[in-house]
Amino acid sequence: MVRITPMASFSVRPSLSAFRFAGFSRSGLSLSSFNTTRRIALLQLGSAVPQSQYFGLKAFDMLRGEGSNIGMTVAGNAAQASTSSSSENLLDWVKQDKRRMLHVVYRVGDLDKTIKFYTECLGMKLLRKRDIPEEKYTNAFLGFGPEDSHFVIELTYNYGVDKYDIGTAFGHFGIAVEDVYKTVELIKAKGGKVTREAGPVKGGRTVIAFVEDPDGYKFELIERGPTPEPLCQVMLRVGDLDRSIDFYKKAYGMELLRKRDNPDYKYTIAMMGYGPEDKNAVMELTYNYGVTDYEKGNAYAQIAIGTDDVYRTAEAVKLSGGKVTREPGPLPGINTKITACLDPDGWKTVFVDNVDFLKELE
């Protein structure tokens, strides 16, 4: 889908000190924006409705006299009311927009090795693969079902780059399996790395385990019954959880599915998404007490989300305090309309036009 800007060379930045994060039980990418090839002229959000619509022409003519304090006050109030109404309408539209998490994008150092691990150990399928030699990168899409109905992984391999810095901000991906113990044994037999043995979570009954892929990305295996969406979580760390929850609800139209505080281990999590956790992929936002900033590294890239209107989406992001890094419009060559933005912590999301996305898959 949306490619990652190839990185011919880079300097790896060191993570924050290991001991600072060693105790986290809810154990990035120097984010660069898309180059805007075409600027789209957008209607100004909240522009004032002509005052004549509120008062009638005669009344309006009387009030707009030059130097009239009354005219200025009424006009100002009308503009403010119009802006408020437009903003509310836009945020209401976000809640009704047909949105779905499409894929998560990140970089790997050995594409074939990673594909083998994901297919043999994690049970994913290689959905498609594309090589772009003129740009010196290759993509592979993997998941548990077709891209038009499932959340999938988009791996990016940049020619000649075999190592990236994951940083301290990215947490893990979650995969729902019916038997965590058997899955862990299979991964061990295939030579995979298990960093947390299968067993109940501390203070609970859900059976989990943690494993690492060849590049060091962590996967949490979660014991769960049959589900239509086995690739079920992306965990990212944030510096202000309430701020992030408010932003994801307003700008992204996600629901707060649940929030849980764990004072014993000094962290709080919030599950955000477009439907129940057992049927949809969700964002797991994690706040570690007292930590407001993390190193993002250069490995993890972004999440792509489908939308019916990238133009209105960009305006909603701006209205909610987010930063649009790629103004809405079609991508050169394929004409798929997208917009890219950053949340308050600098996590990148790309919104993709739903109709264009399906056409691209065809």
Side-chain angles (χ1 to χ4, degrees):
M1 223 327 286
V2 180
R3 74 173 178 83
I4 296 301
T5 304
M7 300 178 59
S9 63
F10 63 94
S11 58
V12 176
R13 293 178 295 161
S15 304
L16 298 184
S17 57
F19 70 86
R20 182 178 176 186
F21 296 94
F24 289 176
S25 57
R26 310 301 298 167
S27 335
L29 168 97
S30 299
L31 295 174
S32 59
S33 63
F34 285 95
N35 291 326
T36 305
T37 60
R38 193 178 306 172
R39 307 295 287 187
I40 305 299
L42 299 176
L43 294 176
Q44 291 298 319
L45 174 66
S47 58
V49 175
Q51 286 87 343
S52 57
Q53 293 182 20
Y54 290 97
F55 309 110
L57 291 173
K58 289 186 178 180
F60 178 65
D61 287 340
M62 292 173 62
L63 292 171
R64 70 176 181 180
E66 187 173 340
S68 168
N69 291 332
I70 297 176
M72 293 172 63
T73 300
V74 174
N77 289 343
Q80 185 176 7
S82 174
T83 300
S84 176
S85 175
S86 299
S87 299
E88 290 177 1
N89 290 340
L90 183 61
L91 295 180
D92 285 340
W93 171 83
V94 168
K95 296 176 184 177
Q96 304 302 320
D97 188 22
K98 295 181 179 63
R99 297 189 174 184
R100 179 177 71 87
M101 289 170 60
L102 304 177
H103 50 255
V104 60
V105 189
Y106 52 100
R107 300 180 176 97
V108 298
D110 186 328
L111 193 57
D112 291 335
K113 186 176 182 180
T114 303
I115 291 173
K116 182 177 181 181
F117 178 82
Y118 287 9
T119 54
E120 293 185 0
C121 296
L122 300 180
M124 295 185 189
K125 298 177 182 178
L126 176 61
L127 303 173
R128 61 187 169 109
K129 188 176 179 181
R130 66 184 179 192
D131 185 44
I132 314 295
E134 61 272 19
E135 297 290 341
K136 298 183 179 180
Y137 75 91
T138 306
N139 288 138
F141 295 78
L142 297 101
F144 295 97
E147 293 177 64
D148 61 357
S149 59
H150 287 72
F151 184 55
V152 306
I153 287 170
E154 178 181 341
L155 303 177
T156 296
Y157 168 70
N158 291 293
Y159 291 8
V161 184
D162 61 4
K163 188 174 179 59
Y164 296 94
D165 176 20
I166 294 178
T168 57
F170 171 78
H172 62 258
F173 304 109
I175 295 180
V177 299
E178 294 187 42
D179 192 322
V180 171
Y181 293 96
K182 287 184 178 180
T183 304
V184 165
E185 292 306 311
L186 171 64
I187 292 173
K188 287 181 178 179
K190 295 289 184 178
K193 182 179 179 181
V194 177
T195 59
R196 197 272 199 193
E197 293 290 343
V201 296
K202 294 179 179 179
R205 292 181 293 178
T206 303
V207 177
I208 66 167
F210 275 90
V211 301
E212 282 187 9
D213 77 357
D215 288 272
Y217 292 100
K218 290 183 173 60
F219 283 79
E220 180 181 15
L221 306 178
I222 307 166
E223 192 156 283
R224 187 179 289 174
T227 173
E229 195 66 277
L231 183 60
C232 59
Q233 289 180 6
V234 177
M235 192 277 258
L236 304 174
R237 298 188 176 94
V238 298
D240 184 328
L241 189 58
D242 289 335
R243 178 186 65 181
S244 295
I245 291 171
D246 185 62
F247 177 82
Y248 277 70
K249 288 169 68 175
K250 288 181 178 179
Y252 291 1
M254 291 185 177
E255 302 175 54
L256 174 59
L257 303 173
R258 64 185 173 98
K259 185 177 179 182
R260 180 168 62 86
D261 184 43
N262 193 328
D264 292 338
Y265 295 93
K266 298 183 178 180
Y267 72 85
T268 308
I269 64 170
M271 296 296 190
M272 309 287 298
Y274 297 109
E277 290 179 63
D278 60 342
K279 295 181 176 62
N280 299 271
V282 301
M283 301 291 299
E284 179 180 344
L285 304 178
T286 297
Y287 168 70
N288 290 293
Y289 291 8
V291 184
T292 59
D293 192 33
Y294 298 92
E295 287 288 337
K296 286 189 171 60
N298 57 9
Y300 175 88
Q302 65 210 25
I303 282 179
I305 296 175
T307 175
D308 282 341
D309 192 328
V310 297
Y311 301 95
R312 299 184 78 180
T313 293
E315 289 302 301
V317 168
K318 293 175 184 177
L319 181 65
S320 304
K323 180 180 180 181
V324 173
T325 58
R326 203 277 188 191
E327 291 292 342
L331 284 169
I334 60 175
N335 293 321
T336 297
K337 293 184 290 295
I338 72 164
T339 188
C341 62
L342 303 180
D343 76 358
D345 288 274
W347 291 115
K348 186 176 181 179
T349 299
V350 174
F351 286 88
V352 185
D353 181 89
N354 285 324
V355 174
D356 291 349
F357 177 70
L358 293 178
K359 288 180 180 178
E360 189 176 332
L361 292 180
E362 293 173 358

